Amino acid sequence: GKAMATGFGTVGLGATLAGGVMQAMGASKQGDAQQSMYNYRAQVAKINADINRQNAAWARDKGEREAVQYGMKATQQRGAIMTAQAASNLDVNTGSAAQVRESQQKITTMDTAQIRTNAAKIAYDYDTKAVMDENQATLDTKTGEYAKEASQYKVAESILGTVSGVSDKWQKGRSTGLW
């Protein structure tokens, strides 16, 4: 009878230990998986930040190109105005003829400034989004580290709980004469 009882007691202790080890392994794997997921999300956010920085640079370049092209067109317009004035036998250097060209120059300067301002606003929005993406990447990386750390506490908890459970069963087994 006692050999059989000892066998049952040993199987019970073994099952408790195995269960605790499996629980600890599961917690560790879960922590690894969570950290991997957050690291992946952080990489995606970093890539998005890079794309947004490239878009910001593109917006600035585009705005500058548009401003230069507009300035060239305006210069051609100014030349055409002067030619038309001269062909009409107006004194192109004084009076209303000169004022027309001055007004056209002021409008050109304002329009060029507006083109650059619009491009700067678009670039700023992209830069702001890039900073938000970088902050998200940092947050995801830290969250992954915390998830991994938390899983290590669960591993320790599983092992300590198992050891405590085995100890209790051992004491009960001894007191009831299982071994």
Side-chain angles (χ1 to χ4, degrees):
K2 185 160 172 128
M4 182 106 165
T6 302
F8 282 128
T10 305
V11 166
L13 289 178
T16 301
L17 274 171
V21 168
M22 292 303 286
Q23 191 177 355
M25 286 172 62
S28 181
K29 291 269 187 233
Q30 185 180 6
D32 289 343
Q34 284 182 320
Q35 186 174 26
S36 293
M37 178 200 64
Y38 282 113
N39 285 344
Y40 171 78
R41 285 175 51 174
Q43 282 305 116
V44 169
K46 285 176 188 174
I47 290 167
N48 286 340
D50 288 343
I51 289 167
N52 282 312
R53 292 226 187 280
Q54 288 167 356
N55 285 341
W58 174 82
R60 284 186 196 91
D61 289 346
K62 181 176 183 270
E64 191 53 36
R65 277 194 312 278
E66 286 176 0
V68 168
Q69 287 168 353
Y70 181 80
M72 289 165 63
K73 262 194 238 172
T75 301
Q76 289 170 350
Q77 263 184 329
R78 187 179 169 112
I81 290 169
M82 195 168 196
T83 302
Q85 288 172 340
S88 302
N89 292 326
L90 294 172
D91 179 358
V92 294
N93 297 316
T94 60
S96 63
Q99 288 175 344
V100 167
R101 288 195 320 279
E102 252 179 63
S103 295
Q104 190 261 348
Q105 182 60 44
K106 285 179 183 170
I107 291 168
T108 298
T109 302
M110 286 170 40
D111 287 347
T112 303
Q114 189 62 52
I115 290 168
R116 286 188 172 119
T117 299
N118 292 347
K121 168 72 173 94
I122 292 167
Y124 174 80
D125 289 347
Y126 281 122
D127 283 336
T128 302
K129 180 75 174 86
V131 169
M132 290 169 58
D133 288 331
E134 285 167 348
N135 291 343
Q136 186 63 51
T138 301
L139 180 66
D140 285 337
T141 301
K142 284 289 175 207
T143 304
E145 288 169 9
Y146 294 143
K148 177 66 178 164
E149 198 175 305
S151 76
Q152 295 311 307
Y153 289 120
K154 285 182 186 170
V155 167
E157 198 177 279
S158 296
I159 290 169
L160 289 173
T162 300
V163 167
S164 172
V166 167
S167 175
D168 286 351
K169 285 183 181 180
W170 175 261
Q171 291 301 331
K172 284 180 188 162
R174 286 192 64 191
S175 68
T176 57
L178 276 177
W179 43 78

